[in-house]
Amino acid sequence: MTKKRWMLLILITAAAAIVGKSYYDTNVFKTAHVTFASEELPSDTSIRMLQISDLHNKQFGESNEPLLHAAKEADPDMIVVTGDLIDESTSSMEPMLQLMKKLTNVTEKIYFVTGNHEWDNPHTETLLNGLEERDITVLGNTHTQVEIDGAVINLAGIDDHYTNHHNLIRAFQGINEEHYTILLSHAPLIVENETAARADLILSGHTHGGQIRLPFLGGLVSPGKAFSRATTKERTDLSPAAGSTSTAASAPV
């Protein structure tokens, strides 16, 4: 085989691999389980949260049954949806509204914050009104208190930081900082804001669980932060004697 044919074969193989990976990434969701402890929670408290992010109006199987099954298996005390439930071009909100309604059978405690695609979609008001009609709490630059397993936690949520709709000062206004505080923000770069540091835990989406990484160098490029040091995944072990929080995050790969 000539050198040109070898090169052609390599290019075809690479192209097929990219197409296959792209198809997999947009048609398969994965669930990651993370357990950690915090001294801010009572020692006998255990909280299970399910975070769902960046579905982009995707249907996983008939009526999203595989996703609903995974949510039931996670057995969460509460569900948080961190934006991009729809795509910027989504015209019908009904599929995602039906999904969210079915999730209320898993737990009544469901909280939502907007992502950049919500703000780029002209029908977002229909989505937000539909969520509230289905008893989903929309946290738009505000906070609430949630009681689980004898513990009271603050749950703050901001509108999308990436599109500049966030207001952290309003979200934290009047919050009782004696309680453990969770901040929901679609865009993870909110961590660079000093006010966000008032939260004990920040849950975000937007990067779809990935970024461009090189061996030894770590993250280089991620959505919203191209060609600069991207956020890398780290594992932190906290006091095992403190109350624990278990998070199962489901999103497209």
Side-chain angles (χ1 to χ4, degrees):
M1 187 178 289
T2 64
K3 185 177 180 180
K4 287 185 177 180
R5 287 187 176 180
W6 271 112
M7 290 298 295
L8 180 60
L9 179 61
I10 291 172
L11 289 174
I12 292 174
T13 303
I18 292 172
V19 170
K21 182 66 165 61
S22 298
Y23 178 84
Y24 180 83
D25 285 354
T26 54
N27 288 276
V28 178
F29 69 88
K30 68 177 180 179
T31 302
H33 297 271
V34 181
T35 302
F36 59 93
S38 172
E39 294 179 348
E40 298 294 325
L41 293 170
S43 59
D44 58 347
T45 293
S46 178
I47 300 172
R48 290 179 62 86
M49 289 185 294
L50 174 64
Q51 178 189 5
I52 299 176
S53 195
D54 296 88
L55 292 183
H56 291 276
N57 202 45
K58 177 65 182 176
Q59 296 283 311
F60 293 99
E62 185 176 353
S63 301
N64 268 313
E65 283 304 319
L67 182 59
L68 288 166
H69 177 73
K72 292 175 183 176
E73 287 290 304
D75 191 27
D77 298 303
M78 58 189 289
I79 295 175
V80 296
V81 183
T82 48
D84 282 4
L85 185 62
I86 57 171
D87 201 69
E88 62 181 352
S89 60
T90 301
S91 57
S92 174
M93 305 294 118
E94 199 57 33
M96 289 299 102
L97 289 175
Q98 288 179 6
L99 170 64
M100 297 299 287
K101 179 60 178 178
K102 291 178 180 178
L103 284 172
T104 61
N105 295 323
V106 178
T107 175
E108 294 179 352
K109 295 182 173 69
I110 303 181
Y111 305 88
F112 174 84
V113 294
T114 57
N116 53 295
H117 278 264
E118 272 83 34
W119 289 102
D120 291 335
N121 189 299
H123 308 293
T124 292
E125 199 66 31
T126 300
L127 174 69
L128 298 181
N129 290 336
L131 291 173
E132 292 180 339
E133 289 170 1
R134 289 159 177 80
D135 297 321
I136 311 298
T137 301
V138 178
L139 294 173
N141 298 319
T142 187
H143 69 270
T144 188
Q145 285 191 340
V146 185
E147 185 172 351
I148 299 175
D149 195 24
V152 176
I153 62 174
N154 297 318
L155 188 62
I158 55 172
D159 285 325
D160 180 51
H161 168 257
Y162 187 72
T163 53
N164 228 11
H165 288 88
H166 66 291
N167 189 326
L168 276 167
I169 294 177
R170 185 188 301 170
F172 280 93
Q173 186 174 8
I175 205 166
N176 185 348
E177 297 193 21
E178 292 182 0
H179 299 304
Y180 188 81
T181 299
I182 299 172
L183 173 64
L184 306 181
S185 168
H186 175 67
L189 288 183
I190 196 65
V191 298
E192 296 179 347
N193 189 300
E194 184 176 326
T195 304
R198 295 170 64 182
D200 299 290
L201 173 67
I202 301 176
L203 298 176
S204 298
H206 190 55
T207 61
H208 293 208
Q211 57 193 5
I212 296 177
R213 297 170 60 88
L214 293 179
F216 306 110
L217 294 179
L220 295 179
V221 181
S222 68
K225 200 165 186 176
F227 304 109
S228 63
R229 188 70 183 208
T231 304
T232 58
K233 185 182 292 184
E234 298 180 355
R235 176 179 175 178
T236 304
D237 294 319
L238 301 175
S239 169
S244 65
T245 303
S246 175
T247 304
S250 295
V253 175

